[in-house]
């Protein structure tokens, strides 16, 4: 079927129903009546010869066909949006746009403060929303435009996702200021004599430092496993436990605790941090501005 015979507004309705899971919420989102949304859905059903959504209780559940076309539909709508926005000059000083960033909590404390400081100074009405997005969904969200950029470690993504190295980080070890066994230096033997905190959102499994130790047939004793570095850093300040973590974040969360920050006593691969965006916003003025703000904020924080 030729595109000239299709009302492209129908796909905007399709995406709204898919995102909201409800005709009522889709109508509110689009500021249309429920009969208008239902009429558009019926036209789409005829077009695809498929129900697209089936009601289960109060939720409109997408059919397998709807699930298979949602990503290309979102990418196409995003492409139209970028084209339209590209026709207008982005002015950060007057824009009221809110950008969405995928940012894991381990990076949020070190990336967000310097970035927001720059944005607040240069763009008084621009907002930032940080989100935790599963790495499997990262590419589709960038393509759909529900994310503007992502900041993460090196990930195996397709060529449709552009990337730029933002920063490199080192691994360090934290122990309390007056630790009885550590006085300003830590070798490998001393590291292995300590008891350790492992910080991870996973329920089990080794950390990167454990893989490096295992290459030498070595193993440390993990006494505490917790989810967040702030809690781990505070525990270090009140115990004889040691914490291994990225240096950039360590210098942020350790400010109020004054723990010793020491080099990790093994050669570790650098922790590279990348900025990701979709190819369809390569030359988009707003995206270019945001990416430049992020890069400059990271350089200033080093």
């Amino acid at each position: 079927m030729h595109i000239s015979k299709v009302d492209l507004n129908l796909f905007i309705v399709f995406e709204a129903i898919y995102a909201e899971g409800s005709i009522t919420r889709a109508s509110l989102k689009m500021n249309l009546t429920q009969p208008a949304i239902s009429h558009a859905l019926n036209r789409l059903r005829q077009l695809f010869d498929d129900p697209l959504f089936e009601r289960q209780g109060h939720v409109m559940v997408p059919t397998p066909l709807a699930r298979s076309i949602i990503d290309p539909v979102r990418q196409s709508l995003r492409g139209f949006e970028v084209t339209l926005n590209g026709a207008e000059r982005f002015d950060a000083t007057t824009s009221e746009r809110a950008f969405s960033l995928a940012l894991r909590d381990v990076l949020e404390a070190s990336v967000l403060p310097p970035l927001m400081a720059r944005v607040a100074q240069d763009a008084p009405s621009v907002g930032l929303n940080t989100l935790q997005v599963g790495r499997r969904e990262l590419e589709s969200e960038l393509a759909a435009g529900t994310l503007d950029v992502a900041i993460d470690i090196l990930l195996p993504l397709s060529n449709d996702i552009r990337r730029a190295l933002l920063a490199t980080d080192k691994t360090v070890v934290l122990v309390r200021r007056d630790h009885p066994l550590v006085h300003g230096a830590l070798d490998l033997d001393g590291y292995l004599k300590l008891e350790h905190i492992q910080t991870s959102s996973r329920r089990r499994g080794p950390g990167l430092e454990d893989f490096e130790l295992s290459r030498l047939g070595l193993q440390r004793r993990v006494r505490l496993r917790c989810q967040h570095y702030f809690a781990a850093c505070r525990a270090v300040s009140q115990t004889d436990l040691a914490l291994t973590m990225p240096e950039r974040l360590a210098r942020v969360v350790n400010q109020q605790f004054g723990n010793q920050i020491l080099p990790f006593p093994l050669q570790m691969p650098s922790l590279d941090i990348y900025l990701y965006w979709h190819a369809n916003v390569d030359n988009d003025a707003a995206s270019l501005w945001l990416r430049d703000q992020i890069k400059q904020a990271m350089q200033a924080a080093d």
Side-chain angles (χ1 to χ4, degrees):
M1 181 177 294
H2 196 274
I3 193 171
S4 63
K5 297 182 180 181
V6 180
D7 181 358
L8 298 182
N9 287 314
L10 299 178
F11 292 99
I12 300 176
V13 173
F14 170 76
E15 197 283 329
I17 298 173
Y18 197 103
E20 300 296 328
S22 163
I23 289 178
T24 301
R25 289 196 295 271
S27 67
L28 293 172
K29 179 180 181 180
M30 298 188 65
N31 198 26
L32 295 173
T33 65
Q34 290 186 42
I37 296 292
S38 297
H39 178 67
L41 178 56
N42 286 334
R43 291 174 62 189
L44 279 168
R45 285 168 166 167
Q46 294 174 12
L47 182 66
F48 285 101
D49 191 23
D50 186 272
L52 297 177
F53 299 95
E54 296 174 340
R55 186 176 297 279
Q56 294 185 10
H58 297 292
V59 179
M60 298 294 285
V61 178
T63 65
L65 176 63
R67 294 180 188 277
S68 71
I69 66 173
I70 184 61
D71 282 347
V73 165
R74 282 175 168 167
Q75 290 183 39
S76 298
L77 292 175
R78 177 61 171 166
F80 285 130
E81 183 181 10
V82 168
T83 300
L84 292 172
N85 289 337
E88 302 177 1
R89 189 176 70 87
F90 176 77
D91 185 351
T93 62
T94 59
S95 175
E96 297 181 354
R97 179 167 173 176
F99 292 95
S100 293
L101 295 73
L103 193 59
R104 306 189 76 79
D105 56 355
V106 68
L107 291 171
E108 194 172 45
S110 57
V111 172
L112 201 54
L115 174 58
M116 193 63 220
R118 285 193 61 84
V119 170
Q121 178 179 353
D122 298 340
S125 297
V126 166
L128 298 178
N129 299 321
T130 64
L131 309 169
Q132 183 114 300
V133 178
R135 284 169 174 154
R136 292 182 179 180
E137 290 77 45
L138 201 61
E139 185 163 343
S140 62
E141 296 239 22
L142 287 169
T146 49
L147 282 178
D148 292 294
V149 296
I151 301 174
D152 209 328
I153 60 173
L154 183 61
L155 300 173
L157 302 174
S158 79
N159 292 333
D160 289 333
I161 305 301
R162 305 291 195 246
R163 61 178 59 85
L165 180 64
L166 275 182
T168 58
D169 208 350
K170 295 185 296 185
T171 301
V172 296
V173 182
L174 274 66
V175 295
R176 66 184 173 95
R177 185 188 298 115
D178 51 354
H179 196 289
L181 301 179
V182 183
H183 307 284
L186 187 64
D187 59 16
L188 183 56
D189 287 339
Y191 180 83
L192 294 174
K193 290 177 182 176
L194 300 174
E195 295 182 320
H196 296 267
I197 303 174
Q198 183 174 350
T199 305
S200 175
S201 58
R202 296 176 290 119
R203 294 189 178 186
R204 59 184 64 86
L208 293 175
E209 58 272 27
D210 296 300
F211 284 113
E212 294 303 316
L213 289 169
S214 67
R215 294 177 190 273
L216 300 177
L218 302 174
Q219 185 176 6
R220 62 179 183 158
R221 186 192 175 199
V222 174
R223 181 82 179 274
L224 170 64
R225 188 182 182 104
C226 67
Q227 299 177 75
H228 301 290
Y229 281 115
F230 180 84
C233 196
R234 186 176 184 187
V236 165
S237 70
Q238 299 179 19
T239 68
D240 289 338
L241 300 178
L243 171 64
T244 305
M245 65 181 296
E247 182 182 31
R248 182 182 295 271
L249 181 59
R251 299 202 178 280
V252 174
V253 299
N254 188 52
Q255 287 179 0
Q256 63 181 286
F257 301 117
N259 296 313
Q260 300 181 63
I261 302 179
L262 307 169
F264 184 69
L266 274 181
Q267 189 68 34
M268 282 275 288
S270 63
L271 303 172
D272 295 336
I273 303 170
Y274 286 83
L275 175 65
Y276 296 92
W277 67 95
H278 197 274
N280 61 19
V281 293
D282 244 349
N283 299 311
D284 176 62
S287 179
L288 285 167
W289 176 84
L290 175 63
R291 280 144 41 197
D292 183 61
Q293 295 298 305
I294 293 171
K295 292 173 185 177
Q296 292 194 45
M298 291 294 286
Q299 291 172 4
D302 286 338

